[in-house]
Amino acid sequence: MNQLKNRVQLIGHLGKDPEVRQFEGGVPPSGNVKAQFSLATSETYKNTKGEKVTDTQWHQVICWGKLAQIVEQYLQKGQQVAVEGKLTYRSYEDKQGVKRYITEVVASDILMLDKKEGATAEKAATEDALPF
């Protein structure tokens, strides 16, 4: 049952190309490379007037180490992916001294649901063999 604690699964589209940072010195949780991107999830329903309504939620996703390197190489804006990970919360103080709160999904697995545009046949075959 422990595997069900703090587990998130999302399917959506990348809102922007992943931003990747290399860290020198200190050691982040699972590597010295961090990738982050926004993920849009949408659901469609009919309201009380019978009109079709689409509700879109935006999620901030981060990943570390080898997964971050793979994300940098293969993911791009608009691509559909499935993400599995855990929710994390953190806070910081902005330049005006106001405390801000952030909710993020720390990804442990990412599955590409459509191919990166312009990928060669060789690269597409490699993508199919990747373990995420």
Side-chain angles (χ1 to χ4, degrees):
M1 197 63 142
N2 283 339
Q3 295 173 348
L4 296 177
K5 291 182 181 177
N6 195 7
R7 183 172 168 182
V8 177
Q9 295 178 328
L10 300 169
I11 295 177
H13 290 87
L14 271 71
K16 61 180 179 178
D17 288 340
E19 296 175 10
V20 179
R21 291 183 60 195
Q22 301 279 339
F23 292 93
E24 303 282 333
V27 181
S30 51
N32 61 355
V33 180
K34 175 186 176 185
Q36 64 184 42
F37 57 90
S38 57
L39 186 73
T41 58
S42 298
E43 67 176 304
T44 304
Y45 61 92
K46 289 188 179 183
N47 64 14
T48 55
K49 297 179 184 177
E51 301 166 331
K52 185 177 175 181
V53 177
T54 301
D55 181 31
T56 301
Q57 299 291 319
W58 288 94
H59 313 275
Q60 297 304 312
V61 179
I62 63 171
C63 51
W64 294 94
K66 183 162 177 69
L67 185 57
Q69 293 170 339
I70 292 169
V71 163
E72 177 182 30
Q73 187 174 4
Y74 292 101
L75 298 187
Q76 66 183 10
K77 179 181 178 177
Q79 193 169 9
Q80 187 178 36
V81 297
V83 174
E84 182 174 19
K86 65 179 182 176
L87 279 181
T88 60
Y89 304 95
R90 62 184 175 93
S91 62
Y92 68 96
E93 208 170 280
D94 67 13
K95 293 176 184 176
Q96 292 76 31
V98 177
K99 194 166 191 174
R100 303 285 181 181
Y101 298 91
I102 297 175
T103 302
E104 297 170 316
V105 176
V106 178
S108 56
D109 290 307
I110 297 176
L111 176 66
M112 293 180 288
L113 299 178
D114 55 24
K115 300 286 187 245
K116 183 176 176 180
E117 288 184 28
T120 64
E122 180 181 1
K123 196 173 199 180
T126 304
E127 289 174 2
D128 290 340
L130 291 174
F132 65 89

